[in-house]
Amino acid sequence: MVDFDAGYVDEPFAGLCRDYPGAAVYPPHDFRVEWGPVFHRGRLDGRARILLLGQDPGPHEAIARRILVGEAGQRVQGFLAKLGIQRSYVMVNAFLYSVYGQQGGEHHVADPGIASYRNRWLDALLAGGDVGAVVAFGHLADAAWRAWRDTPAGEASSVTYVHLTHPTQPDAVSRGDQARFAAAMKAMLAEWNQGLAVLAPVVGGADAPVDPEPYGTTLTAADHATIPAGDLPAGLPVWMGGLTTWADRTGTTAALKRATIAVTVPPEARP
Ligand code: URA
């Protein structure tokens, strides 16, 4: 038996997925709107205890149609595992579409059309459910959270909030420089350990015992976790939730690269 995520069946999520903003709200100059919106990952049935905010979907997410599935998602899933959370979470990104170029995210995170639609998701996920804590990974996710906190529903919320470094920030800032990568990773993991200490008393142990072992100074293979099949659409190959990188943008020109995602079946999944 292979579990799957049934998708956007119930309201208000079905309506949100019918009525999403397109290129009139997300300028194609700054967002890869042609790959379609990617909405969420995790529980939409009120059973989430923690809400995680990411930034924008990448190539793995464009294919899997769920957010935080690639390297960043595996690091986030490992973070949840340390809290003893295996199912009781839900995730949304600051943006529905992949950001194109360097500054697109900064320029648009507070755009009224983008923020108001995102706030409808946050209203739906935080109203009436069991979410006790919210984690924003990265400054754009933090900006998205603060925009919601300024709404009446946000002002009324007393949920525990933690802002942490985005899981692939060390990769982004180091640009292949090993020493910079090691330093950025060490700083991020020290901060994540502080985050775990705040979150554990509030939401820790929701599905499994809290892992008492903090992160070390480097991220190990054991600090990653696979994406549960129950988070992915029916029929998606299980290896798409695995730890091996399987999607990449390829192309000899910027336009071709924007138009192409190469999917490679990992060696261990080939017949
Ligand atoms: N990084 C994010 O913040 N979100 C995703 O969906 C993928 C990578």
Side-chain angles (χ1 to χ4, degrees):
M1 298 284 268
V2 182
D3 205 2
F4 64 90
D5 174 26
Y8 308 98
V9 180
D10 297 322
E11 297 298 343
F13 304 105
L16 280 164
C17 292
R18 272 187 214 104
D19 177 27
Y20 61 84
V25 169
Y26 279 91
H29 179 262
D30 290 320
F31 295 96
R32 296 179 175 95
V33 289
E34 64 275 28
W35 289 94
V38 189
F39 296 107
H40 102 296
R41 178 158 75 83
R43 311 288 80 73
L44 296 178
D45 57 3
R47 286 190 295 166
R49 299 291 327 283
I50 185 166
L51 166 66
L52 308 158
L53 286 167
Q55 180 166 299
D56 66 312
H60 291 83
E61 291 77 18
I63 303 298
R65 310 313 300 172
R66 294 293 183 272
I67 74 160
L68 286 162
V69 167
E71 178 67 28
Q74 296 155 22
R75 294 180 188 180
V76 167
Q77 203 71 31
F79 181 87
L80 287 170
K82 284 205 173 289
L83 281 172
I85 301 181
Q86 297 169 336
R87 293 176 299 280
S88 304
Y89 54 80
V90 65
M91 311 176 186
V92 288
N93 277 329
F95 299 112
L96 288 178
Y97 303 94
S98 171
V99 174
Y100 185 67
Q102 292 295 315
Q103 295 303 315
E106 270 73 13
H107 288 154
H108 296 291
V109 71
D111 284 5
I114 293 177
S116 65
Y117 179 80
R118 186 177 57 222
N119 286 344
R120 286 168 63 198
W121 270 87
L122 295 176
D123 287 346
L125 294 172
L126 290 161
D130 216 7
V131 172
V134 174
V135 181
F137 285 105
H139 68 285
L140 294 169
D142 178 55
W145 174 252
R146 285 188 279 103
W148 183 77
R149 282 306 295 253
D150 286 344
T151 67
E155 279 172 7
S157 169
S158 57
V159 74
T160 296
Y161 175 64
V162 177
H163 172 201
L164 297 177
T165 299
H166 189 275
T168 54
Q169 184 263 8
D171 313 64
V173 296
S174 57
R175 294 168 185 265
D177 179 325
Q178 297 281 319
R180 280 193 74 184
F181 177 77
M185 187 57 90
K186 184 177 174 187
M188 182 184 91
L189 295 177
E191 186 212 51
W192 280 22
N193 280 334
Q194 289 174 8
L196 288 170
V198 173
L199 294 164
V202 184
V203 291
D207 304 314
V210 174
D211 178 355
E213 193 65 38
Y215 286 105
T217 53
T218 59
L219 200 73
T220 68
D223 294 327
H224 295 71
T226 57
I227 310 306
D231 285 11
L232 301 173
L236 209 78
V238 172
W239 54 260
M240 286 193 174
L243 299 183
T244 306
T245 299
W246 51 263
D248 193 19
R249 296 191 201 281
T250 59
T252 48
T253 65
L256 271 177
K257 198 168 177 182
R258 180 168 170 157
T260 312
I261 295 176
V263 173
T264 307
V265 178
E268 65 274 15
R270 295 176 199 166

Coordinates of all heavy atoms in Angstrom, one line a residue, residues 74-136:
Q74 N 13.9 18.4 2.4 CA 14.5 17.3 3.2 C 15.2 17.7 4.5 O 15.1 17.1 5.5 CB 15.5 16.5 2.4 CG 14.9 15.8 1.1 CD 15.9 15.6 0.0 OE1 17.1 15.6 0.3 NE2 15.4 15.5 -1.2
R75 N 15.7 18.9 4.4 CA 16.3 19.5 5.7 C 15.2 19.9 6.6 O 15.3 19.8 7.9 CB 17.2 20.7 5.3 CG 18.4 20.3 4.5 CD 19.3 21.5 4.1 NE 20.4 21.1 3.2 CZ 21.3 21.9 2.7 NH1 21.3 23.2 3.0 NH2 22.2 21.4 1.9
V76 N 14.1 20.5 6.1 CA 13.0 20.9 7.0 C 12.4 19.6 7.6 O 12.0 19.6 8.8 CB 12.0 21.7 6.1 CG1 10.7 21.8 6.9 CG2 12.5 23.1 5.8
Q77 N 12.3 18.6 6.8 CA 11.7 17.3 7.3 C 12.5 16.8 8.4 O 12.0 16.2 9.4 CB 11.5 16.3 6.1 CG 10.5 15.3 6.3 CD 9.0 15.8 6.3 OE1 8.8 16.7 5.5 NE2 8.2 15.2 7.0
G78 N 13.8 16.9 8.3 CA 14.7 16.4 9.3 C 14.6 17.3 10.6 O 14.6 16.8 11.7
F79 N 14.3 18.6 10.4 CA 14.1 19.5 11.5 C 12.8 19.0 12.3 O 12.8 19.0 13.5 CB 13.9 20.9 11.0 CG 13.7 22.0 12.0 CD1 14.8 22.6 12.7 CD2 12.4 22.4 12.3 CE1 14.5 23.6 13.6 CE2 12.2 23.4 13.3 CZ 13.2 24.0 13.9
L80 N 11.8 18.7 11.5 CA 10.5 18.3 12.1 C 10.8 16.9 12.9 O 10.2 16.7 14.0 CB 9.5 18.1 11.1 CG 8.8 19.3 10.5 CD1 8.0 19.0 9.2 CD2 8.0 20.1 11.5
A81 N 11.6 16.1 12.3 CA 11.8 14.8 12.9 C 12.5 15.0 14.3 O 12.2 14.3 15.2 CB 12.7 13.9 12.0
K82 N 13.4 16.0 14.4 CA 14.0 16.3 15.7 C 13.0 16.7 16.7 O 13.1 16.4 17.9 CB 15.1 17.4 15.5 CG 16.3 16.9 14.9 CD 17.5 17.7 15.3 CE 18.8 17.2 14.8 NZ 19.3 15.9 15.5
L83 N 11.9 17.3 16.2 CA 10.8 17.7 17.2 C 9.8 16.6 17.5 O 8.9 16.8 18.2 CB 10.0 18.9 16.5 CG 10.6 20.3 16.6 CD1 9.8 21.3 15.8 CD2 10.7 20.7 18.1
G84 N 10.1 15.4 16.8 CA 9.1 14.3 17.0 C 7.8 14.6 16.2 O 6.7 14.2 16.7
I85 N 7.9 15.3 15.1 CA 6.8 15.5 14.3 C 6.9 14.9 12.9 O 7.9 15.2 12.2 CB 6.5 17.1 14.1 CG1 6.4 17.7 15.5 CG2 5.3 17.3 13.2 CD1 6.1 19.2 15.5
Q86 N 6.1 13.9 12.7 CA 6.2 13.1 11.4 C 5.0 13.3 10.5 O 5.1 13.1 9.3 CB 6.3 11.6 11.8 CG 7.5 11.3 12.6 CD 7.4 9.9 13.2 OE1 6.4 9.3 13.3 NE2 8.6 9.3 13.5
R87 N 3.9 13.8 11.0 CA 2.7 14.0 10.2 C 2.0 15.3 10.5 O 1.3 15.9 9.6 CB 1.6 12.9 10.5 CG 2.0 11.5 10.0 CD 0.9 10.5 10.4 NE 0.7 10.5 11.9 CZ 1.5 9.8 12.7 NH1 2.6 9.1 12.3 NH2 1.3 9.8 14.0
S88 N 2.1 15.8 11.7 CA 1.3 16.9 12.2 C 1.8 18.3 11.8 O 2.1 19.1 12.7 CB 1.1 16.8 13.7 OG 0.7 15.5 14.1
Y89 N 2.0 18.5 10.6 CA 2.5 19.8 10.1 C 1.8 20.2 8.8 O 1.2 19.3 8.1 CB 4.0 19.7 9.8 CG 4.4 18.5 8.9 CD1 4.2 18.7 7.5 CD2 4.8 17.3 9.3 CE1 4.5 17.6 6.6 CE2 5.1 16.2 8.5 CZ 4.9 16.4 7.1 OH 5.2 15.4 6.3
V90 N 1.9 21.4 8.5 CA 1.5 21.9 7.2 C 2.5 23.0 6.8 O 3.0 23.7 7.6 CB 0.0 22.4 7.2 CG1 -0.1 23.6 8.1 CG2 -0.5 22.7 5.8
M91 N 2.7 23.1 5.5 CA 3.7 24.1 5.0 C 3.1 24.9 3.8 O 2.4 24.3 3.0 CB 4.9 23.4 4.4 CG 5.5 22.3 5.3 SD 6.8 21.4 4.5 CE 7.1 20.1 5.8
V92 N 3.4 26.2 3.8 CA 3.1 27.0 2.6 C 4.3 27.9 2.4 O 5.1 28.2 3.3 CB 1.8 27.9 2.8 CG1 0.6 27.1 2.7 CG2 1.9 28.7 4.1
N93 N 4.4 28.4 1.1 CA 5.5 29.3 0.8 C 5.0 30.7 0.8 O 3.8 31.0 0.6 CB 6.0 28.9 -0.6 CG 7.0 27.8 -0.6 OD1 7.8 27.6 0.3 ND2 7.1 27.0 -1.7
A94 N 6.0 31.6 0.8 CA 5.6 33.1 0.6 C 5.1 33.3 -0.8 O 4.2 34.1 -0.9 CB 6.9 33.9 0.9
F95 N 5.6 32.5 -1.7 CA 5.2 32.7 -3.1 C 4.6 31.4 -3.7 O 5.2 30.4 -3.5 CB 6.4 33.2 -4.0 CG 6.9 34.5 -3.5 CD1 8.2 34.6 -3.0 CD2 6.2 35.7 -3.7 CE1 8.7 35.8 -2.6 CE2 6.7 36.9 -3.2 CZ 8.0 37.0 -2.7
L96 N 3.6 31.6 -4.6 CA 3.1 30.4 -5.3 C 3.9 29.9 -6.4 O 3.9 28.7 -6.8 CB 1.7 30.8 -5.9 CG 0.5 31.0 -5.0 CD1 -0.7 31.4 -5.9 CD2 0.2 29.8 -4.2
Y97 N 4.7 30.8 -7.0 CA 5.6 30.5 -8.1 C 7.0 30.7 -7.8 O 7.4 31.5 -6.9 CB 5.2 31.5 -9.3 CG 3.7 31.4 -9.7 CD1 2.9 32.4 -9.1 CD2 3.3 30.5 -10.6 CE1 1.5 32.4 -9.5 CE2 1.9 30.5 -10.9 CZ 1.1 31.4 -10.4 OH -0.3 31.4 -10.8
S98 N 7.9 30.0 -8.6 CA 9.3 30.1 -8.4 C 9.8 31.5 -8.8 O 9.4 32.1 -9.8 CB 9.9 29.1 -9.3 OG 11.3 29.3 -9.4
V99 N 10.6 32.1 -7.9 CA 11.1 33.4 -8.2 C 12.2 33.3 -9.3 O 13.0 32.4 -9.2 CB 11.8 34.0 -6.9 CG1 12.5 35.3 -7.2 CG2 10.7 34.2 -5.8
Y100 N 12.1 34.3 -10.2 CA 13.1 34.3 -11.3 C 14.0 35.5 -11.2 O 13.5 36.6 -11.1 CB 12.3 34.4 -12.7 CG 13.2 34.3 -13.9 CD1 13.9 33.1 -14.2 CD2 13.4 35.4 -14.7 CE1 14.7 33.0 -15.2 CE2 14.2 35.3 -15.8 CZ 14.9 34.1 -16.1 OH 15.7 34.0 -17.2
G101 N 15.3 35.3 -11.0 CA 16.2 36.4 -10.9 C 16.5 36.7 -9.4 O 15.9 36.0 -8.5
Q102 N 17.3 37.6 -9.1 CA 17.8 37.9 -7.8 C 16.9 38.5 -6.8 O 16.7 38.1 -5.7 CB 19.1 38.7 -7.9 CG 20.3 38.0 -8.5 CD 20.8 36.8 -7.7 OE1 20.9 36.9 -6.5 NE2 21.0 35.7 -8.3
Q103 N 16.3 39.6 -7.3 CA 15.5 40.5 -6.4 C 14.0 40.4 -6.5 O 13.3 41.1 -5.8 CB 15.9 42.0 -6.6 CG 17.4 42.3 -6.3 CD 17.8 41.9 -4.9 OE1 17.1 42.3 -4.0 NE2 18.9 41.2 -4.7
G104 N 13.5 39.5 -7.3 CA 12.1 39.4 -7.5 C 11.3 39.2 -6.2 O 10.3 39.8 -6.0
G105 N 11.9 38.4 -5.3 CA 11.2 38.1 -4.0 C 11.1 39.3 -3.2 O 10.0 39.7 -2.7
E106 N 12.2 40.0 -3.0 CA 12.2 41.3 -2.2 C 11.2 42.3 -2.8 O 10.6 43.0 -2.0 CB 13.7 41.9 -2.2 CG 14.6 41.4 -1.2 CD 15.1 40.0 -1.4 OE1 14.9 39.5 -2.5 OE2 15.6 39.4 -0.5
H107 N 11.2 42.4 -4.1 CA 10.3 43.4 -4.7 C 8.9 43.2 -4.5 O 8.1 44.1 -4.5 CB 10.6 43.5 -6.2 CG 11.9 44.2 -6.5 ND1 12.7 44.0 -7.6 CD2 12.7 45.1 -5.8 CE1 13.8 44.6 -7.6 NE2 13.8 45.3 -6.5
H108 N 8.5 41.9 -4.4 CA 7.1 41.6 -4.5 C 6.4 41.0 -3.2 O 5.2 40.7 -3.2 CB 6.8 40.6 -5.7 CG 7.2 41.3 -7.0 ND1 6.4 42.3 -7.5 CD2 8.2 41.0 -7.9 CE1 6.9 42.6 -8.7 NE2 8.0 41.9 -8.9
V109 N 7.2 40.7 -2.2 CA 6.7 40.0 -1.1 C 5.5 40.7 -0.4 O 4.6 40.1 0.1 CB 7.8 39.6 0.0 CG1 8.3 40.8 0.7 CG2 7.3 38.5 0.9
A110 N 5.5 42.0 -0.5 CA 4.4 42.8 0.1 C 3.4 43.3 -0.9 O 2.4 44.0 -0.5 CB 5.0 44.0 0.9
D111 N 3.5 42.8 -2.1 CA 2.5 43.3 -3.1 C 1.1 42.9 -2.6 O 0.8 41.7 -2.2 CB 2.7 42.5 -4.5 CG 3.9 43.1 -5.3 OD1 4.6 44.0 -4.7 OD2 4.1 42.6 -6.4
P112 N 0.1 43.8 -2.7 CA -1.2 43.5 -2.1 C -1.9 42.3 -2.7 O -2.4 41.5 -1.9 CB -2.0 44.8 -2.5 CG -1.0 45.8 -2.8 CD 0.2 45.2 -3.3
G113 N -1.8 42.0 -4.0 CA -2.4 40.8 -4.6 C -1.8 39.5 -4.1 O -2.5 38.5 -3.8
I114 N -0.5 39.6 -3.9 CA 0.3 38.4 -3.5 C 0.0 38.2 -2.0 O -0.3 37.1 -1.5 CB 1.8 38.5 -3.7 CG1 2.0 38.5 -5.2 CG2 2.6 37.5 -3.0 CD1 3.5 38.7 -5.6
A115 N 0.0 39.2 -1.2 CA -0.1 39.1 0.3 C -1.6 38.7 0.6 O -1.8 37.9 1.5 CB 0.3 40.4 0.9
S116 N -2.6 39.3 -0.1 CA -3.9 39.0 0.3 C -4.3 37.6 0.0 O -5.0 36.9 0.8 CB -4.9 40.0 -0.4 OG -4.9 39.8 -1.8
Y117 N -3.8 37.0 -1.1 CA -4.1 35.6 -1.4 C -3.4 34.7 -0.4 O -4.0 33.8 0.2 CB -3.7 35.2 -2.8 CG -3.9 33.8 -3.1 CD1 -5.2 33.3 -3.5 CD2 -2.9 32.8 -3.0 CE1 -5.4 32.0 -3.7 CE2 -3.1 31.5 -3.3 CZ -4.4 31.1 -3.6 OH -4.6 29.7 -3.9
R118 N -2.1 35.0 -0.1 CA -1.4 34.2 0.9 C -2.1 34.3 2.3 O -2.1 33.3 3.0 CB 0.1 34.8 1.0 CG 1.0 34.0 1.8 CD 2.4 34.6 1.7 NE 2.4 36.0 2.1 CZ 3.1 37.0 1.5 NH1 3.8 36.7 0.4 NH2 3.0 38.2 1.9
N119 N -2.6 35.5 2.6 CA -3.2 35.7 3.9 C -4.5 34.8 4.0 O -4.9 34.4 5.1 CB -3.6 37.1 4.2 CG -2.3 37.9 4.5 OD1 -1.3 37.3 4.9 ND2 -2.4 39.2 4.5
R120 N -5.2 34.6 2.8 CA -6.4 33.7 2.9 C -5.9 32.3 3.3 O -6.6 31.6 4.0 CB -7.1 33.7 1.5 CG -7.8 35.0 1.3 CD -8.3 35.2 -0.2 NE -9.2 34.1 -0.6 CZ -9.4 33.8 -1.9 NH1 -8.8 34.5 -2.9 NH2 -10.3 32.9 -2.2
W121 N -4.8 31.8 2.7 CA -4.3 30.5 3.1 C -3.9 30.5 4.6 O -4.3 29.5 5.3 CB -3.0 30.2 2.3 CG -3.3 29.4 1.1 CD1 -3.6 30.0 -0.2 CD2 -3.4 28.0 0.9 NE1 -3.9 29.0 -1.1 CE2 -3.7 27.8 -0.5 CE3 -3.2 26.9 1.7 CZ2 -3.9 26.5 -1.0 CZ3 -3.4 25.6 1.2 CH2 -3.7 25.4 -0.2
L122 N -3.3 31.6 5.1 CA -2.9 31.6 6.5 C -4.1 31.6 7.4 O -4.2 31.0 8.4 CB -1.9 32.7 6.8 CG -0.6 32.6 6.1 CD1 0.3 33.8 6.3 CD2 0.2 31.3 6.5
D123 N -5.1 32.4 7.0 CA -6.4 32.4 7.8 C -6.9 31.0 7.9 O -7.3 30.5 8.9 CB -7.4 33.3 7.1 CG -7.1 34.8 7.2 OD1 -6.3 35.2 8.0 OD2 -7.8 35.6 6.4
A124 N -7.0 30.3 6.7 CA -7.6 29.0 6.7 C -6.8 28.0 7.5 O -7.4 27.1 8.1 CB -7.6 28.5 5.2
L125 N -5.5 28.1 7.5 CA -4.7 27.1 8.2 C -4.6 27.4 9.7 O -4.4 26.5 10.5 CB -3.2 27.1 7.7 CG -3.2 26.6 6.2 CD1 -1.8 26.8 5.6 CD2 -3.5 25.1 6.2
L126 N -4.8 28.7 10.1 CA -4.6 29.0 11.5 C -5.9 29.2 12.3 O -5.9 29.1 13.5 CB -3.7 30.3 11.6 CG -2.3 30.1 11.2 CD1 -1.6 31.4 10.9 CD2 -1.5 29.4 12.3
A127 N -7.0 29.4 11.5 CA -8.3 29.5 12.2 C -8.9 28.2 12.6 O -9.0 27.3 11.8 CB -9.3 30.3 11.3
G128 N -9.1 28.0 13.9 CA -9.9 26.8 14.3 C -9.1 25.6 14.4 O -9.5 24.6 15.0
G129 N -7.9 25.5 13.8 CA -7.1 24.3 13.8 C -6.3 24.2 15.1 O -6.7 24.8 16.1
D130 N -5.3 23.3 15.1 CA -4.6 23.0 16.3 C -3.1 23.5 16.3 O -2.3 23.0 17.0 CB -4.6 21.5 16.5 CG -4.7 21.1 17.9 OD1 -4.9 22.0 18.8 OD2 -4.6 19.9 18.2
V131 N -2.9 24.5 15.4 CA -1.5 24.9 15.2 C -1.1 25.8 16.4 O -1.7 26.8 16.7 CB -1.4 25.8 13.9 CG1 0.0 26.4 13.8 CG2 -1.7 24.9 12.6
G132 N 0.0 25.3 17.0 CA 0.5 26.0 18.2 C 1.8 26.8 17.9 O 2.2 27.6 18.7
A133 N 2.4 26.5 16.8 CA 3.7 27.2 16.5 C 3.8 27.4 15.0 O 3.4 26.6 14.2 CB 4.9 26.4 17.0
V134 N 4.5 28.5 14.6 CA 4.8 28.8 13.2 C 6.3 29.1 13.1 O 6.9 29.7 14.0 CB 4.0 30.1 12.8 CG1 4.4 30.5 11.4 CG2 2.5 29.8 12.9
V135 N 6.9 28.5 12.1 CA 8.3 28.7 11.8 C 8.4 29.3 10.4 O 7.9 28.8 9.4 CB 9.1 27.4 11.8 CG1 10.6 27.7 11.6 CG2 9.0 26.7 13.2
A136 N 9.1 30.5 10.3 CA 9.4 31.1 9.0 C 10.8 30.8 8.7 O 11.7 31.1 9.5 CB 9.1 32.6 9.0

